[in-house]
Amino acid sequence: MLFSRVRGLPVLTPGAADRIGVVRALTVDAAAGRVTHVRIGRGRLRGQAVVAWEALGAVGTDMLVVRSADGPARAPQHRDLLGARVLTECGEERGTVLDAAFDPVTARVETVLTTFGEVPPGLLLGLGDHALVIRTGHHR
């Protein structure tokens, strides 16, 4: 599943299928190569909710269903992967992130699509305020 296709999907509760909001972003632990949290926009007056990936009951192409709408006690800082600069650990420019594919069951990042090509998850080192940092090496 692509990050870009998840943005804007409705997030529902099980049973009554009440709408909590829509997916605004996915938080990624780049070093671990996985999605950790879902950021949910709940409307202008209600703000944002953060739900751990493990709190999801189902992830589909047209919606996400959460087991619990309660956010984590302490949500991690969010840095948007989409649009991030890509730098090697040596500081070499490797383009910009266009999108990323992940497994909706395991939340594992499968590939990061950049303006320079694909970056496999094994090359990801971290995502900071200024860039996605990858290992120096060949990528497709």
Side-chain angles (χ1 to χ4, degrees), residues 36-88:
T36 60
H37 292 80
V38 178
R39 307 242 169 208
I40 303 166
R42 300 186 317 173
R44 197 175 356 199
L45 299 177
R46 294 184 55 212
Q48 177 173 274
V50 179
V51 176
W53 188 264
E54 292 78 25
L56 296 178
V59 178
T61 57
D62 58 348
M63 76 179 98
L64 279 68
V65 178
V66 296
R67 282 188 235 118
S68 169
D70 298 329
R74 186 170 181 270
Q77 186 172 5
H78 175 74
R79 293 179 179 95
D80 208 348
L81 180 63
L82 299 184
R85 282 176 61 196
V86 182
L87 297 174
T88 68

Side-chain angles (χ1 to χ4, degrees), residues 8-10 15 18 25 38-39 51 58 61 64 75 78 84 88 93 102 106 113 120 125 128 130-131 135:
L9 288 181
D18 293 326
V38 178
R39 307 242 169 208
V51 176
T61 57
L64 279 68
H78 175 74
T88 68
E93 288 276 345
F102 71 102
T106 64
L113 308 167
L125 290 174
H130 302 290
R135 285 187 178 80

Side-chain angles (χ1 to χ4, degrees), residues 15-41:
D18 293 326
R19 184 179 170 129
I20 297 171
V22 297
V23 176
R24 290 289 175 228
L26 299 175
T27 300
V28 175
D29 178 343
R34 65 182 302 273
V35 176
T36 60
H37 292 80
V38 178
R39 307 242 169 208
I40 303 166

Side-chain angles (χ1 to χ4, degrees), residues 80-131:
D80 208 348
L81 180 63
L82 299 184
R85 282 176 61 196
V86 182
L87 297 174
T88 68
E89 59 197 337
C90 298
E92 299 169 353
E93 288 276 345
R94 289 289 186 251
T96 304
V97 175
L98 299 172
D99 214 335
F102 71 102
D103 182 317
V105 175
T106 64
R108 303 295 293 168
V109 173
E110 295 173 334
T111 190
V112 176
L113 308 167
T114 75
T115 53
F116 276 39
E118 293 184 31
V119 178
L123 294 182
L124 304 180
L125 290 174
L127 179 60
D129 290 335
H130 302 290

